[in-house]
Amino acid sequence: MSSRNLQPVFSIQGQALLTCVNTATAGSRAIGAGVVITPPAGMSEAHKHAEHELVVIVDGWAATFLGEQLEDVSLRGPGDFMYIAAGTPHMAVNLSTETRVLAAEARTDPEFNGDVVPMPELDELISGRVTALREDFASGRLPPWPSTGLAGVPDR
């Protein structure tokens, strides 16, 4: 299956999803996987998943706020992996106002987006922090941080 043949569906948390593996497409009973697209200046709404999540950034630069009050932040770029434990509140933010973030995700939710619990009460907690991070990113004050990167991966 190729994500090139799929139409995006907009998720409860406000991101475009290309669902590649789930119960409907592959008969999966234990895992869901796909591509998540966050447009320039986009962000998800605060939410948590009942199950676990693995995110791999393919293209773009993102910040993910995590924790009961979204107090922790993880900055990620191409090739970076992030594991989000079941029940962890989080919110993903595209740091760029010019380019999208493309991420491959796998979840221990066979529907790929069936276990989302919106947490709108947390959305306002990070607005000032998002603005400051985007300003730092745009001005170059937030340099590319250490990343696993894809530089060492051969093209063939």
Side-chain angles (χ1 to χ4, degrees):
M1 166 159 301
S2 171
S3 62
R4 291 183 300 277
N5 302 326
L6 301 172
Q7 292 298 313
V9 173
F10 288 89
S11 67
I12 294 168
Q13 62 271 37
Q15 295 168 299
L17 304 178
L18 299 173
T19 302
C20 300
V21 175
N22 69 2
T23 302
T25 63
S28 175
R29 289 184 272 152
I31 193 168
V35 176
V36 178
I37 304 161
T38 306
M43 65 174 66
S44 73
E45 295 178 7
H47 64 283
K48 62 183 175 181
H49 300 275
E51 299 294 335
H52 305 271
E53 180 175 16
L54 174 66
V55 181
V56 181
I57 300 296
V58 176
D59 194 30
W61 297 91
T64 300
F65 292 87
L66 303 133
E68 294 304 315
Q69 296 296 305
L70 302 177
E71 62 275 9
D72 298 322
V73 66
S74 172
L75 303 174
R76 300 169 291 126
D80 288 337
F81 288 72
M82 177 177 211
Y83 168 75
I84 302 173
T88 302
H90 60 285
M91 182 180 214
V93 174
N94 184 342
L95 292 173
S96 174
T97 58
E98 298 174 8
T99 60
R100 69 182 179 185
V101 169
L102 214 62
E105 290 191 10
R107 303 176 187 161
T108 51
D109 161 24
E111 295 305 316
F112 187 56
N113 209 45
D115 70 342
V116 177
V117 178
M119 302 184 77
E121 67 277 12
L122 299 180
D123 286 339
E124 293 302 316
L125 293 179
I126 64 162
S127 61
R129 293 169 65 198
V130 169
T131 300
L133 279 173
R134 283 191 177 142
E135 287 172 0
D136 287 348
F137 180 78
S139 70
R141 288 190 305 267
L142 186 65
W145 44 87
S147 169
T148 56
L150 297 174
V153 178
D155 289 339
R156 349 185 164 142

PDB file of all heavy atoms in Angstrom, residues 25-47:
ATOM      1  N   THR A  25      -8.147  -1.402   6.429  1.00  0.00           N
ATOM      2  CA  THR A  25      -7.271  -1.554   5.261  1.00  0.00           C
ATOM      3  C   THR A  25      -6.462  -2.837   5.269  1.00  0.00           C
ATOM      4  O   THR A  25      -6.086  -3.332   4.216  1.00  0.00           O
ATOM      5  CB  THR A  25      -6.271  -0.381   5.151  1.00  0.00           C
ATOM      6  OG1 THR A  25      -5.419  -0.385   6.301  1.00  0.00           O
ATOM      7  CG2 THR A  25      -6.981   0.951   5.029  1.00  0.00           C
ATOM      8  N   ALA A  26      -6.171  -3.374   6.457  1.00  0.00           N
ATOM      9  CA  ALA A  26      -5.268  -4.528   6.521  1.00  0.00           C
ATOM     10  C   ALA A  26      -5.741  -5.626   7.465  1.00  0.00           C
ATOM     11  O   ALA A  26      -5.028  -6.606   7.666  1.00  0.00           O
ATOM     12  CB  ALA A  26      -3.875  -4.059   6.950  1.00  0.00           C
ATOM     13  N   GLY A  27      -6.896  -5.442   8.066  1.00  0.00           N
ATOM     14  CA  GLY A  27      -7.370  -6.441   9.011  1.00  0.00           C
ATOM     15  C   GLY A  27      -6.610  -6.438  10.322  1.00  0.00           C
ATOM     16  O   GLY A  27      -6.688  -7.399  11.092  1.00  0.00           O
ATOM     17  N   SER A  28      -5.888  -5.369  10.603  1.00  0.00           N
ATOM     18  CA  SER A  28      -5.074  -5.303  11.813  1.00  0.00           C
ATOM     19  C   SER A  28      -5.937  -5.363  13.070  1.00  0.00           C
ATOM     20  O   SER A  28      -7.002  -4.756  13.140  1.00  0.00           O
ATOM     21  CB  SER A  28      -4.264  -4.006  11.820  1.00  0.00           C
ATOM     22  OG  SER A  28      -3.558  -3.886  13.029  1.00  0.00           O
ATOM     23  N   ARG A  29      -5.417  -6.069  14.077  1.00  0.00           N
ATOM     24  CA  ARG A  29      -6.096  -6.126  15.366  1.00  0.00           C
ATOM     25  C   ARG A  29      -5.237  -5.534  16.478  1.00  0.00           C
ATOM     26  O   ARG A  29      -5.681  -5.467  17.620  1.00  0.00           O
ATOM     27  CB  ARG A  29      -6.454  -7.568  15.703  1.00  0.00           C
ATOM     28  CG  ARG A  29      -7.575  -8.068  14.807  1.00  0.00           C
ATOM     29  CD  ARG A  29      -7.999  -9.452  15.180  1.00  0.00           C
ATOM     30  NE  ARG A  29      -7.148 -10.386  14.435  1.00  0.00           N
ATOM     31  CZ  ARG A  29      -6.838 -11.601  14.831  1.00  0.00           C
ATOM     32  NH1 ARG A  29      -7.293 -12.062  15.961  1.00  0.00           N
ATOM     33  NH2 ARG A  29      -6.078 -12.371  14.088  1.00  0.00           N
ATOM     34  N   ALA A  30      -4.024  -5.097  16.144  1.00  0.00           N
ATOM     35  CA  ALA A  30      -3.133  -4.648  17.206  1.00  0.00           C
ATOM     36  C   ALA A  30      -2.382  -3.353  16.912  1.00  0.00           C
ATOM     37  O   ALA A  30      -1.819  -2.768  17.825  1.00  0.00           O
ATOM     38  CB  ALA A  30      -2.110  -5.740  17.518  1.00  0.00           C
ATOM     39  N   ILE A  31      -2.351  -2.911  15.658  1.00  0.00           N
ATOM     40  CA  ILE A  31      -1.571  -1.722  15.334  1.00  0.00           C
ATOM     41  C   ILE A  31      -2.251  -0.941  14.216  1.00  0.00           C
ATOM     42  O   ILE A  31      -2.933  -1.509  13.374  1.00  0.00           O
ATOM     43  CB  ILE A  31      -0.121  -2.102  14.930  1.00  0.00           C
ATOM     44  CG1 ILE A  31       0.785  -0.878  14.895  1.00  0.00           C
ATOM     45  CG2 ILE A  31      -0.110  -2.847  13.602  1.00  0.00           C
ATOM     46  CD1 ILE A  31       2.261  -1.207  14.798  1.00  0.00           C
ATOM     47  N   GLY A  32      -2.064   0.362  14.261  1.00  0.00           N
ATOM     48  CA  GLY A  32      -2.494   1.250  13.197  1.00  0.00           C
ATOM     49  C   GLY A  32      -1.306   2.111  12.819  1.00  0.00           C
ATOM     50  O   GLY A  32      -0.484   2.442  13.670  1.00  0.00           O
ATOM     51  N   ALA A  33      -1.193   2.460  11.545  1.00  0.00           N
ATOM     52  CA  ALA A  33      -0.056   3.270  11.112  1.00  0.00           C
ATOM     53  C   ALA A  33      -0.457   4.133   9.932  1.00  0.00           C
ATOM     54  O   ALA A  33      -1.360   3.803   9.171  1.00  0.00           O
ATOM     55  CB  ALA A  33       1.119   2.378  10.733  1.00  0.00           C
ATOM     56  N   GLY A  34       0.259   5.247   9.793  1.00  0.00           N
ATOM     57  CA  GLY A  34      -0.016   6.129   8.677  1.00  0.00           C
ATOM     58  C   GLY A  34       0.896   7.327   8.685  1.00  0.00           C
ATOM     59  O   GLY A  34       1.911   7.364   9.385  1.00  0.00           O
ATOM     60  N   VAL A  35       0.503   8.310   7.892  1.00  0.00           N
ATOM     61  CA  VAL A  35       1.250   9.551   7.742  1.00  0.00           C
ATOM     62  C   VAL A  35       0.397  10.671   8.336  1.00  0.00           C
ATOM     63  O   VAL A  35      -0.814  10.734   8.097  1.00  0.00           O
ATOM     64  CB  VAL A  35       1.547   9.830   6.254  1.00  0.00           C
ATOM     65  CG1 VAL A  35       2.230  11.171   6.076  1.00  0.00           C
ATOM     66  CG2 VAL A  35       2.381   8.702   5.666  1.00  0.00           C
ATOM     67  N   VAL A  36       1.036  11.535   9.110  1.00  0.00           N
ATOM     68  CA  VAL A  36       0.366  12.691   9.694  1.00  0.00           C
ATOM     69  C   VAL A  36       0.990  13.941   9.097  1.00  0.00           C
ATOM     70  O   VAL A  36       2.218  14.071   9.053  1.00  0.00           O
ATOM     71  CB  VAL A  36       0.493  12.697  11.234  1.00  0.00           C
ATOM     72  CG1 VAL A  36      -0.159  13.939  11.823  1.00  0.00           C
ATOM     73  CG2 VAL A  36      -0.133  11.441  11.818  1.00  0.00           C
ATOM     74  N   ILE A  37       0.145  14.843   8.630  1.00  0.00           N
ATOM     75  CA  ILE A  37       0.614  16.076   7.989  1.00  0.00           C
ATOM     76  C   ILE A  37       0.142  17.266   8.821  1.00  0.00           C
ATOM     77  O   ILE A  37      -1.045  17.407   9.096  1.00  0.00           O
ATOM     78  CB  ILE A  37       0.045  16.193   6.564  1.00  0.00           C
ATOM     79  CG1 ILE A  37       0.422  14.963   5.752  1.00  0.00           C
ATOM     80  CG2 ILE A  37       0.524  17.490   5.902  1.00  0.00           C
ATOM     81  CD1 ILE A  37      -0.441  14.743   4.529  1.00  0.00           C
ATOM     82  N   THR A  38       1.103  18.101   9.223  1.00  0.00           N
ATOM     83  CA  THR A  38       0.781  19.332   9.932  1.00  0.00           C
ATOM     84  C   THR A  38       1.186  20.485   9.012  1.00  0.00           C
ATOM     85  O   THR A  38       2.365  20.625   8.687  1.00  0.00           O
ATOM     86  CB  THR A  38       1.515  19.419  11.280  1.00  0.00           C
ATOM     87  OG1 THR A  38       1.238  18.225  12.028  1.00  0.00           O
ATOM     88  CG2 THR A  38       1.050  20.623  12.078  1.00  0.00           C
ATOM     89  N   PRO A  39       0.232  21.291   8.571  1.00  0.00           N
ATOM     90  CA  PRO A  39       0.539  22.363   7.615  1.00  0.00           C
ATOM     91  C   PRO A  39       1.414  23.446   8.234  1.00  0.00           C
ATOM     92  O   PRO A  39       1.577  23.509   9.461  1.00  0.00           O
ATOM     93  CB  PRO A  39      -0.841  22.906   7.243  1.00  0.00           C
ATOM     94  CG  PRO A  39      -1.697  22.599   8.411  1.00  0.00           C
ATOM     95  CD  PRO A  39      -1.168  21.307   8.993  1.00  0.00           C
ATOM     96  N   PRO A  40       1.963  24.333   7.397  1.00  0.00           N
ATOM     97  CA  PRO A  40       2.734  25.456   7.926  1.00  0.00           C
ATOM     98  C   PRO A  40       1.927  26.201   8.992  1.00  0.00           C
ATOM     99  O   PRO A  40       0.723  26.434   8.823  1.00  0.00           O
ATOM    100  CB  PRO A  40       2.966  26.344   6.701  1.00  0.00           C
ATOM    101  CG  PRO A  40       2.883  25.394   5.537  1.00  0.00           C
ATOM    102  CD  PRO A  40       1.863  24.368   5.931  1.00  0.00           C
ATOM    103  N   ALA A  41       2.585  26.536  10.099  1.00  0.00           N
ATOM    104  CA  ALA A  41       1.982  27.237  11.235  1.00  0.00           C
ATOM    105  C   ALA A  41       0.855  26.442  11.887  1.00  0.00           C
ATOM    106  O   ALA A  41       0.112  26.969  12.701  1.00  0.00           O
ATOM    107  CB  ALA A  41       1.487  28.625  10.841  1.00  0.00           C
ATOM    108  N   GLY A  42       0.743  25.152  11.565  1.00  0.00           N
ATOM    109  CA  GLY A  42      -0.321  24.331  12.127  1.00  0.00           C
ATOM    110  C   GLY A  42       0.065  23.690  13.444  1.00  0.00           C
ATOM    111  O   GLY A  42       1.239  23.656  13.821  1.00  0.00           O
ATOM    112  N   MET A  43      -0.944  23.193  14.124  1.00  0.00           N
ATOM    113  CA  MET A  43      -0.726  22.462  15.368  1.00  0.00           C
ATOM    114  C   MET A  43      -1.939  21.584  15.617  1.00  0.00           C
ATOM    115  O   MET A  43      -3.020  21.849  15.116  1.00  0.00           O
ATOM    116  CB  MET A  43      -0.477  23.392  16.545  1.00  0.00           C
ATOM    117  CG  MET A  43      -1.660  24.257  16.916  1.00  0.00           C
ATOM    118  SD  MET A  43      -1.406  25.237  18.420  1.00  0.00           S
ATOM    119  CE  MET A  43      -0.142  26.335  17.929  1.00  0.00           C
ATOM    120  N   SER A  44      -1.710  20.544  16.384  1.00  0.00           N
ATOM    121  CA  SER A  44      -2.834  19.716  16.797  1.00  0.00           C
ATOM    122  C   SER A  44      -3.510  20.385  17.977  1.00  0.00           C
ATOM    123  O   SER A  44      -2.979  21.327  18.567  1.00  0.00           O
ATOM    124  CB  SER A  44      -2.361  18.312  17.185  1.00  0.00           C
ATOM    125  OG  SER A  44      -1.689  18.339  18.426  1.00  0.00           O
ATOM    126  N   GLU A  45      -4.658  19.883  18.330  1.00  0.00           N
ATOM    127  CA  GLU A  45      -5.278  20.274  19.581  1.00  0.00           C
ATOM    128  C   GLU A  45      -4.720  19.349  20.658  1.00  0.00           C
ATOM    129  O   GLU A  45      -4.232  18.260  20.361  1.00  0.00           O
ATOM    130  CB  GLU A  45      -6.787  20.145  19.471  1.00  0.00           C
ATOM    131  CG  GLU A  45      -7.361  21.123  18.458  1.00  0.00           C
ATOM    132  CD  GLU A  45      -8.857  20.991  18.273  1.00  0.00           C
ATOM    133  OE1 GLU A  45      -9.507  20.229  19.018  1.00  0.00           O
ATOM    134  OE2 GLU A  45      -9.375  21.649  17.366  1.00  0.00           O
ATOM    135  N   ALA A  46      -4.771  19.788  21.897  1.00  0.00           N
ATOM    136  CA  ALA A  46      -4.294  18.948  22.996  1.00  0.00           C
ATOM    137  C   ALA A  46      -5.161  17.694  23.067  1.00  0.00           C
ATOM    138  O   ALA A  46      -6.380  17.756  22.912  1.00  0.00           O
ATOM    139  CB  ALA A  46      -4.346  19.720  24.305  1.00  0.00           C
ATOM    140  N   HIS A  47      -4.485  16.561  23.271  1.00  0.00           N
ATOM    141  CA  HIS A  47      -5.196  15.286  23.318  1.00  0.00           C
ATOM    142  C   HIS A  47      -4.314  14.227  23.954  1.00  0.00           C
ATOM    143  O   HIS A  47      -3.147  14.469  24.246  1.00  0.00           O
ATOM    144  CB  HIS A  47      -5.610  14.842  21.903  1.00  0.00           C
ATOM    145  CG  HIS A  47      -4.445  14.563  21.002  1.00  0.00           C
ATOM    146  ND1 HIS A  47      -3.692  15.563  20.411  1.00  0.00           N
ATOM    147  CD2 HIS A  47      -3.891  13.400  20.591  1.00  0.00           C
ATOM    148  CE1 HIS A  47      -2.741  15.027  19.669  1.00  0.00           C
ATOM    149  NE2 HIS A  47      -2.833  13.703  19.766  1.00  0.00           N
TER     150      HIS A  47
END
